[in-house]
Amino acid sequence: MLAKTFSAALKGVDAFTVEIEVNATFAGEKTQVSIVGLPDTAVRESKERVHSALTSSGYFHPHGFTTVNLAPADIKKVGAGFDLPIAIGIMATGDAMGGVDLSRTLLVGELALDGAIRPTRGALSIAVHARQHGYHTLILPSENAHEAAIVDGIQVIGVKHLTEATEVLKGQSLIEPTVIDALEYFSTHIDTSLDFADIKGQETAKRAVQVAAAGGHNCLLVGPPGTGKSMIAKRLPAILPLMSLEEAIETTRIHSVAGHLPIGQPLLVARPFRSPHHTISDAGMLGGQSNPQPGEISLAHHGILFLDELPEFPRKALEVLRQPMEDGQVTISRAAGSCTFPARFQLIAAMNPCPCGHYGSSGQRTCRCSSSQVRKYRSRLSGPLLDRIDIHVEVASLSEDELMKRPTGESSQVLRDRVQAARSKQSERFADSATHCNAQMTSKELRKHCELDDPAAQLLKLALSEMGISARAFDRILRVARTIADLNGSEILSIPEISEAIQYRSLDRELW
């Protein structure tokens, strides 16, 4: 007898329907199950889990030869989430399901040997897919129900055991669909624990990261150890504009697919802050494995990728950042196919000025590195990568008086309001284009929105001849100057905006 159930699998951050056909012959006393349709090892092993779950739950497993086909057969199926739909399909070949219509129900879940249902990855992406393709009900593990319920327009039912799933399908269960008010959850779970008001001194660095936040610019903080570079970077998400609901859902989907979404947290409402260790590989940064998974740059989508001790990262791991920094996405190609992950992140990096960390320091400690050592240390960063970092700012050591004083800076809320006002101007400016902030301006938009007065043009021309910067760095200066003008409430770029933007190219003024 033939039965069909429907499930979903993941490809990148998107899901696709998998039709599960089960044909039971009921011939012979020996039970044999064959799973076809390009399954991976975890899927092939599901026949053992399903058999144990069915018998442990008191259900009959058909004798004879049973064939399970996962269609489409030309796409590899990965993971243990097909256990539940395979079990329901096997039951439907007999009388256990009572002829229930399963055509508008999507089933996902891994089975334990006793019939319990374990959580799975990508519940949010599967729920989005289910709604888009007209499924009425999504049955999945109870731990994933709140995550999937963020998507409205579909009935989400979380179950803990195979028996609960069968009772829901036959209308014998009192389990209510999970309902989440996404807008209410989104507005009541904002973290305000880190505040810029905690930082002593460093007004120049705080101004630089404020400009970076206002325009979406990449930023590099250069200074001796213990000057507060990491402290400043970790507080940057607190002054970034709040994510929209659409951005939050897109970010949550990536973390869900990667298995990084905490159980019980259906939606990421704070912008992600990813800080990988400097021993990370290029595959860990970009994403990889035979079945491609999101890397750190995708997990930082709509948020911050913080690279501390930047020159200590492997050269290859840094160079793979160049193309995603320009395109906002990364495509990973493997023998089985290719996946594209979004990667619209803001790079914030920190580094010491030299191997010992005290080059150019005005404090009691003096640098003991030779010029060749300093040059070799800094040459670990390629020119093309530095060109893609809009703002380079020096973070100096604090004096004794500054250390003894109480912090007197502005709070993160004040800075965020200022940043939000600048972003609102940019939203109006780029209302008819794909650009979202000044850092993403195209060459055409630069010519249109970065008009210089004559003194500012002369100053920029002088800086170009003295600093020898590249054409890309020239465009970066204009983009940063446009952001500074937005913060200052100016339309025309004048000397104050251009001079401050040039000041943020400190590494272009030094010999590398």
Side-chain angles (χ1 to χ4, degrees), residues 282-296 332-334 341:
D282 56 321
M285 189 75 78
L286 200 64
Q289 303 180 15
S290 57
N291 178 45
Q293 294 292 311
E296 289 293 334
I332 303 171
S333 298
R334 295 293 183 267
F341 294 103

Side-chain angles (χ1 to χ4, degrees), residues 212-217 240-241 271 346 418-428 436-438 486:
H217 303 287
L240 289 173
R271 294 188 181 274
Q346 187 173 353
R418 196 174 298 148
V419 166
Q420 185 62 64
R423 284 289 184 105
S424 297
K425 294 180 182 178
Q426 294 164 48
S427 297
E428 295 176 6
H436 297 94
C437 58
N438 289 335
D486 289 340

Side-chain angles (χ1 to χ4, degrees), residues 110-181:
E110 175 186 347
L111 289 175
L113 298 183
D114 62 353
I117 300 179
R118 295 190 172 115
T120 187
R121 295 182 178 186
L124 182 55
S125 294
I126 292 171
V128 170
H129 173 81
R131 181 185 63 182
Q132 292 174 343
H133 289 78
Y135 289 96
H136 178 266
T137 304
L138 172 61
I139 298 178
L140 77 174
S142 59
E143 290 89 344
N144 299 121
H146 285 80
E147 175 189 343
I150 290 294
V151 180
D152 57 4
I154 184 170
Q155 183 174 260
V156 175
I157 299 178
V159 292
K160 297 181 179 180
H161 199 275
L162 177 58
T163 55
E164 290 186 0
T166 58
E167 289 170 359
V168 168
L169 289 168
K170 293 192 294 184
Q172 299 173 353
S173 175
L174 298 178
I175 298 177
E176 293 292 331
T178 303
V179 178
I180 293 289
D181 188 331

Side-chain angles (χ1 to χ4, degrees), residues 1 25 34 128 142 320 343 373 378 424 443:
M1 184 174 178
T25 63
S34 175
V128 170
S142 59
V320 299
Q373 287 176 314
R378 297 187 174 189
S424 297
S443 298

Side-chain angles (χ1 to χ4, degrees), residues 150 180-192 242-246 248-249 266-270 413 416:
I150 290 294
I180 293 289
D181 188 331
L183 288 174
E184 181 181 355
Y185 182 92
F186 187 71
S187 62
T188 57
H189 289 73
I190 300 174
D191 183 16
T192 58
L242 298 177
M243 282 199 294
S244 65
L245 182 58
E246 292 75 15
I249 290 175
L267 190 67
L268 295 177
V269 298
Q413 185 59 55
R416 174 184 281 168

Side-chain angles (χ1 to χ4, degrees), residues 151-397:
V151 180
D152 57 4
I154 184 170
Q155 183 174 260
V156 175
I157 299 178
V159 292
K160 297 181 179 180
H161 199 275
L162 177 58
T163 55
E164 290 186 0
T166 58
E167 289 170 359
V168 168
L169 289 168
K170 293 192 294 184
Q172 299 173 353
S173 175
L174 298 178
I175 298 177
E176 293 292 331
T178 303
V179 178
I180 293 289
D181 188 331
L183 288 174
E184 181 181 355
Y185 182 92
F186 187 71
S187 62
T188 57
H189 289 73
I190 300 174
D191 183 16
T192 58
S193 57
L194 296 178
D195 201 320
F196 263 84
D198 301 331
I199 301 173
K200 296 181 179 180
Q202 304 300 4
E203 298 304 323
T204 300
K206 287 192 286 187
R207 167 67 176 180
V209 296
Q210 180 184 343
V211 173
H217 303 287
N218 302 317
C219 180
L220 173 60
L221 304 171
V222 185
T227 54
K229 302 187 295 294
S230 299
M231 189 177 185
I232 292 172
K234 290 177 181 178
R235 281 157 175 74
L236 182 55
I239 67 172
L240 289 173
L242 298 177
M243 282 199 294
S244 65
L245 182 58
E246 292 75 15
E247 289 176 331
I249 290 175
E250 188 176 6
T251 304
T252 303
R253 289 177 64 183
I254 298 171
H255 285 249
S256 176
V257 167
H260 290 248
L261 190 65
I263 296 295
Q265 183 176 348
L267 190 67
L268 295 177
V269 298
R271 294 188 181 274
F273 182 89
R274 304 295 299 182
S275 181
H277 193 262
H278 58 72
T279 56
I280 190 173
S281 66
D282 56 321
M285 189 75 78
L286 200 64
Q289 303 180 15
S290 57
N291 178 45
Q293 294 292 311
E296 289 293 334
I297 61 174
S298 295
L299 293 171
H301 184 57
H302 289 317
I304 301 295
L305 177 66
F306 176 50
L307 303 184
D308 203 2
E309 305 295 345
L310 186 64
E312 303 298 332
F313 281 78
R315 182 72 172 256
K316 196 173 180 181
L318 293 180
E319 293 306 305
V320 299
L321 296 175
R322 287 159 53 178
Q323 180 260 337
M325 288 169 69
E326 295 286 339
D327 298 342
Q329 63 181 22
V330 58
T331 300
I332 303 171
S333 298
R334 295 293 183 267
S338 63
C339 291
T340 298
F341 294 103
R344 183 71 67 186
F345 63 92
Q346 187 173 353
L347 176 64
I348 306 297
M351 61 175 285
N352 296 328
C354 67
C356 79
H358 300 288
Y359 179 80
S361 176
S362 58
Q364 295 180 351
R365 291 189 172 185
T366 57
C367 179
R368 57 179 182 271
C369 304
S370 64
S371 298
S372 61
Q373 287 176 314
V374 175
R375 192 174 290 109
K376 183 179 180 180
Y377 177 75
R378 297 187 174 189
S379 65
R380 296 178 186 176
L381 305 180
S382 68
L385 177 63
L386 286 174
D387 275 351
R388 287 169 169 82
I389 300 178
D390 305 359
I391 296 175
H392 316 153
V393 61
E394 296 176 358
V395 185
S397 300

